[in-house]
Amino acid sequence: DETSSFVYSADGKTLHVVAPASTLAEIKMPFNEIAPYAAYKAANLVNIDFGAECQTWGDYCLAETGVKTLSLSGTIGRYVAKGSALESLTVDHAEVPFGVAMDCKNLTDVKFLKGITVVKQDAFNGCSSLATLDLGKLLAILEANCFANSGIKTLNVGAAVPALSLI
């Protein structure tokens, strides 16, 4: 039974923890919330399917996992997929979250479903395989190190030159 490798709330709405040493490779349950650090370092976890119900993503909730594809919406914490095996990321939010894909060295595909206004600190820091990024026409702020150590060669911004934040 796959559910013996993780702990979730009695109502089945919140994923609390995935055992880091678990051999669990996939979770398919309609969670509304992923708690902070829920699957932190669960390296064997490569596929998640929470449906469209998941609207709260805790800090570091999928950091250092084997997850390759991720779609985020709702409330998105810091460093959600930091250091994971992420290859494809879809963000349905006006802000690119703080460190969302930091150190995701395999990330090559990023899609934004809404106009991006802010790229938070460390968002794509260390994404060495990410060569192109289209930020749309609404961009206003690029925070410190949002593209540091990335492989970005083409950055498409249709807005006027955004403000740089060195916080």
Side-chain angles (χ1 to χ4, degrees), residues 1 17 29-30 40 44 69 71 74 85 92 96 109 130-132 136 166-167:
D1 179 22
V17 68
M29 289 184 73
Y40 183 65
N44 292 317
T69 303
S71 290
D92 188 4
V96 180
D109 180 47
L130 185 60
T132 302
L166 300 176
I167 304 173

Side-chain angles (χ1 to χ4, degrees), residues 86-89 104-110 127 129-132:
L86 202 60
E87 296 172 358
S88 177
L89 174 66
C104 292
K105 300 195 183 314
N106 299 326
L107 183 65
T108 58
D109 180 47
V110 178
C127 295
S129 296
L130 185 60
T132 302

Side-chain angles (χ1 to χ4, degrees), residues 21 25 31 46 55 92 117 136 138 143:
F31 292 115
V46 296
Q55 292 298 305
D92 188 4
T117 58
L138 301 176
E143 290 189 359

Side-chain angles (χ1 to χ4, degrees), residues 53 58 73 81-82 93 95 102 142 147 159:
E53 291 84 3
S73 62
K82 181 184 186 289
H93 203 278
E95 293 185 356
M102 184 175 183
L142 295 173
F147 305 122

Side-chain angles (χ1 to χ4, degrees), residues 101-166:
M102 184 175 183
D103 294 330
C104 292
K105 300 195 183 314
N106 299 326
L107 183 65
T108 58
D109 180 47
V110 178
K111 291 182 182 78
F112 301 113
L113 301 182
K114 291 188 171 133
I116 297 300
T117 58
V118 177
V119 180
K120 294 284 194 176
Q121 182 174 335
D122 293 327
F124 299 106
N125 187 343
C127 295
S128 54
S129 296
L130 185 60
T132 302
L133 198 59
D134 185 354
L135 295 172
K137 297 180 181 183
L138 301 176
L139 186 65
I141 299 171
L142 295 173
E143 290 189 359
N145 298 318
C146 60
F147 305 122
N149 306 305
S150 73
I152 295 175
K153 293 178 180 34
T154 305
L155 184 62
N156 297 315
V157 180
V161 178
L164 297 176
S165 170
L166 300 176

Side-chain angles (χ1 to χ4, degrees), residues 31-42:
F31 292 115
N32 294 357
E33 178 178 353
I34 311 303
Y37 295 90
Y40 183 65
K41 293 193 176 191

Side-chain angles (χ1 to χ4, degrees), residues 35-65:
Y37 295 90
Y40 183 65
K41 293 193 176 191
N44 292 317
L45 183 61
V46 296
N47 187 31
I48 56 169
D49 183 358
F50 302 141
E53 291 84 3
C54 194
Q55 292 298 305
T56 303
W57 303 82
D59 295 347
Y60 294 88
C61 65
L62 297 171
E64 297 184 40
T65 63

